[in-house]
Amino acid sequence: MALGPFLLLATLEGLVSAAVLALTAVGLSLVFGVMRVVNVAHGEFFMLGAVVGWAVASLIPEAPALGFLAALAVSPLVAALVAIAVDRAILRRLDYTPEAVIVATIGVGYILQQGALSLYGPEARTVAAPFSFRVQFPWFGYSGYKLGVIAAAALVLAGVWALLARTRIGLVMRATQWDRETATAFGIDTDRIYALVFGLGAGLAAVAAVLVVPISQAHYLMGGDPLLLSFAVVIIGGLGSLRGTVVAALLIGLTDGIAGVFFAPTLGKILATLLVALVLVFRPQGLFGRRTA
Amino acid sequence: MTVRTRVWALHLAVLAALALAPLVLPPYHVTNLARIMVLAVFAMGYNIAFGYTGLLSLGHALLLAAGMYATGLLVTLAGWTAGPALIAGLAAGAGIALLVGLLALRTTGAAFMIVTLMFAQAGYLAVLYFGDLTRGDEGFNLARDARALFGLDLVADTTRYGAALALFAAGLLGCLVLVRSRTGRVLVAVRENAERTRMLGYDPFRARLLALTLSGLYAGGAGAAYALLFGYVGGTFAGVQYSVLPLLWVLLGGAGTVLGPLVGTLVMFYLVDIAGSFTDATLLVVGAALILLVLFARAGLLGTLRDRWLPWLP
């Protein structure tokens, strides 16, 4: 294959990972933006979404498309409910102290991992894609489902944006993010908003996971990479900035896709990880964020 | 008794008890105890950074692995003897900690945790990337005859226990002297209120850098000793779990207490050991312990003891 088509293929692959990454990272970013806490269990909520998605889809083996749609509907709900329970039972009692929340969510992550290992097992399993046509380019054919993932992610992201910018509940969320005390003084139940945001964040990770399961596989250890990549996206995009998060996800997803074609994947990951750490050291407001303090 | 005598008496008594333990314990527990003492040195190092100076790092596996791989690779590939390799391990831990500190200490709080986590992740990936040398996750064993220090065979149970105890004693007494010194008080002051400490004329950055470097020295020593005493070097020790474990041990034993890391490591080791005989769900035990500690007992075992009954405990 000549370089041009090769690059097109790499770009498409990059766009797919960028789409999934954007969904996952927006969930993390939302939680950080509104609640000012870092959720280390975010990767495990992603894993939970994939595993529950597999479980739901395997209930309807005769109709793969229906099974997939059911997984897409149920799995984010389950992840959101688990997250809300975690918020109510643990995070609220910690009064959202940033460091205590990090330690507690590490614990939550271990418990989710163990739960998946004990109930779902150590195997990696996949879910059949709801449709499987190929888009024929002059040089190669490309999975229609992957293009569908990009479209679905864009749709969900637009939905999140509309929710935040155009609805009353979004306004209330932004008010809570801006100033929790004043929001409380105006009669907003910020405890409920926190629970809602934490659930929404986990739900978004679960949507991303269900979308990705037909491409890769569900496995109880799959949460590590999405977590680190989401951290990277949220940091580079500027902590708590939604637009920055999406731009950074595109940047990192595309780089990942294209660099993956040319470099050894591990070396690429090492350099990317160090780069992100250095961004956080020297530009803590992110590449696109504004300095607030 | 003055506080000073009481403190020294307590810590020397603990060391004496550890020295006598092999005489009464069955061999299985003696090996466990040797392992616990080495890991407790790692935890003591973590405690200097986290417990006394307030630096919550999520990347200490990098420092443990630095010592472990420096020693292990020099012995295996370059044919070094155990003594110089041990010193190289200590230096690697402290040196990497110094480098990480120079960069990561520009940040604080959650950002510091994420930066240290990312550095450690890069370290873990580097172990995998140089798989030809490190054999990745699988790891490698040290040759039996290389594991001897000053003519003492570190493979035999008795000498191995003695070596672990010597390292632990050095670490414990060093920590005790540090936290009771002027420098130690500055570290605690930085933890309690960095701005006020700066106003009093101390440089919080330098204090934190010192704490992190000492912490790396301990972690490197523990890693090097683990490689020499137990003959195994592997990628697991560079993984994120070994960044979380010292945090857990220190929280459990009591952050900011000299004996806390030993107590935490000991209790957690046997908790997982006992749980392991009932269920395979050891991650559940670790996770639940973290959550319960942070919810209900943030001072840990010895911290609670100090708050209630023993205010003189260092």
Side-chain angles (χ1 to χ4, degrees), chain B:
Chain B
M1 266 198 296
T2 64
V3 166
R4 186 188 156 84
T5 359
R6 221 183 294 179
V7 165
W8 281 96
L10 172 69
H11 290 82
L12 291 175
V14 168
L15 289 178
L18 284 171
L20 296 176
L23 301 179
V24 289
L25 287 179
Y28 170 71
H29 292 290
V30 174
T31 312
N32 278 351
L33 209 51
R35 207 178 291 263
I36 287 168
M37 284 193 290
V38 172
L39 292 175
V41 171
F42 180 34
M44 280 197 284
Y46 191 84
N47 192 28
I48 291 175
F50 167 62
Y52 287 102
T53 322
L55 295 171
L56 213 172
S57 141
L58 285 181
H60 260 58
L62 179 67
L63 309 176
L64 179 74
M68 185 175 259
Y69 277 97
T71 302
L73 290 175
L74 285 171
V75 166
T76 306
L77 298 177
W80 284 33
T81 52
L86 179 66
I87 292 168
L90 287 162
I96 299 276
L98 180 70
L99 276 179
V100 167
L102 282 173
L103 289 167
L105 286 174
R106 296 171 56 107
T107 63
T108 51
F112 179 77
M113 299 164 91
I114 297 179
V115 170
T116 47
L117 179 74
M118 294 246 156
F119 279 135
Q121 179 67 11
Y124 173 64
L125 289 171
V127 167
L128 298 187
Y129 183 69
F130 294 104
D132 294 344
L133 300 175
T134 64
R135 312 263 332 263
D137 269 330
E138 191 186 325
F140 58 90
N141 291 309
L142 267 66
R144 199 191 179 292
D145 49 351
R147 291 164 54 195
L149 194 60
F150 309 125
L152 291 171
D153 175 20
L154 296 178
V155 185
D157 280 340
T158 325
T159 41
R160 175 163 69 186
Y161 189 88
L165 180 64
L167 179 79
F168 176 78
L172 186 78
L173 298 179
C175 182
L176 188 59
V177 169
L178 173 74
V179 302
R180 291 172 59 80
S181 70
R182 288 174 56 93
T183 317
R185 292 181 207 287
V186 175
L187 298 186
V188 172
V190 168
R191 176 189 74 193
E192 292 300 321
N193 191 332
E195 276 315 304
R196 190 174 294 177
T197 315
R198 190 199 308 280
M199 219 175 65
L200 290 172
Y202 298 98
D203 183 353
F205 179 81
R206 276 182 58 183
R208 288 181 174 135
L209 193 61
L210 175 73
L212 201 61
T213 310
L214 282 174
S215 187
L217 186 73
Y218 274 69
Y226 199 96
L228 290 172
L229 296 182
F230 300 100
Y232 173 72
V233 173
T236 331
F237 293 101
V240 67
Q241 200 175 357
Y242 272 84
S243 293
V244 175
L245 283 175
L247 169 66
L248 175 61
W249 296 330
V250 167
L251 275 176
L252 178 60
T257 59
V258 174
L259 285 171
L262 173 69
V263 173
T265 314
L266 185 76
V267 172
M268 203 62 219
F269 189 95
Y270 276 101
L271 206 62
V272 170
D273 195 57
I274 294 166
S277 59
F278 296 112
T279 158
D280 294 331
T282 45
L283 282 177
L284 187 75
V285 178
V286 174
L290 278 173
I291 293 173
L292 292 176
L293 277 170
V294 93
L295 271 179
F296 301 114
R298 242 181 276 178
L301 294 171
L302 292 190
T304 310
L305 205 64
R306 173 165 64 187
D307 292 345
R308 295 268 171 86
W309 297 288
L310 306 172
W312 51 269
L313 205 68

Side-chain angles (χ1 to χ4, degrees), chain A residues 26-38 173-174 176-178 194 197 234 238-242:
Chain A
V26 161
L28 191 68
S29 170
L30 205 61
V31 168
F32 184 83
V34 176
M35 303 167 69
R36 299 278 144 197
V37 296
V38 178
M173 279 183 196
R174 282 183 290 140
T176 309
Q177 166 164 11
W178 193 254
Y194 271 31
V197 165
V234 173
L239 292 162
S241 133
L242 220 66

